[in-house]
Amino acid sequence: MKKIALILALCLGITGAQAQDTPVQLKGTVVDTVAKFVYLQKFHNKMFTTIDSVKVVNGNFSFKTKVKLPELYGLSVNTANNPLYIFLEKGPITVKLSPAKYYNNSVVEGSKSQDLFNEYKKIQNVDISKFITEHPGSLVSAYVLYRNWSYRLTPEQITQNIALLDKSLETTTYVKELKELVTVLNGLAVGKKAPDFVSTDQNGKQVRFSENLKGQYTLVDFWASWCAPCRKENPNIVNAYKQYHEKGFNIIGISLDKKKENWIKGINDDHLDWLQVSELIYWNSEIAKLYGVRAIPANYLVDSKGIIVARNLRGEELQTTLKTLLDK
């Protein structure tokens, strides 16, 4: 029994060691800038948070930070801007870090995942199922399915693509969150009731979604002042509001902004003259998670009882749908 217990303890010890973070072997040079520091950032939910920084000495930098590997991280010289997306793995990795042109001139050597990620970005008209089938065990496949395709696919299509991934990726954050998203989206199909929520308007007042349906068709509109496609779509939504509001059409805007002043300016500049709410926490928005929103602009059209009628109506499709429902 003691021998068995010892073997078990050793096995558990090995498992524990494998689960621990690993010191990254990352070094490089900084070019096209006089930056004094390089920042290593962790990726989660479309956002990066700084986990370590090192001084640039004679144009060189080096990290030995303990991190989860392999995984996607960010590398930057200015945390206010988007970083270089870099897949770190075990083993030495070298980087020529250039912030010019959104880090597009940067060069990463020593990471096979990074090489595959760079290849993926060059593919035109990506067939995501084909890409995953060709690279089922790569973290890149799980990441791009989560980051670039989760908002384009139906719940059934997401599930089908998850099944193409190697079983070793099931414990990754990407696959776990994709499975959660499938569950959420299945509850948001046409004919289902839209989830209720409470949030804060631009005047600091708490408002409840279900209490503002007012017996009308309501567009639950997700947007943000920093979102260029949202701002481009806003004039179409304004026109729809002007044309159909008196006939029974209402809008509730949900902003994924971070700063209140930017949110208010966006509302005023785009003449969004309807109820607006925001948690002001960017992609950490609980309402966005509740509605399975992975990209904006996004919207749901609900009837007077809060039943979902349509999803992601844009451009002429929004006008046509409202005409069918309200021009009777």
Side-chain angles (χ1 to χ4, degrees), residues 87-101:
F87 281 87
L88 298 180
E89 301 175 335
K90 293 181 180 179
I93 296 174
T94 60
V95 180
K96 183 176 78 171
L97 188 65
S98 170
K101 298 181 180 180

Side-chain angles (χ1 to χ4, degrees), residues 14 95 102 119 126 135 146 153 163 189 192 262 271 284 325 327:
I14 292 170
V95 180
Y102 305 101
E119 286 179 26
V126 175
H135 311 283
Y146 161 85
L153 303 176
K192 300 280 189 178
N262 294 344
H271 308 288
N284 284 327
L325 293 171
D327 274 352

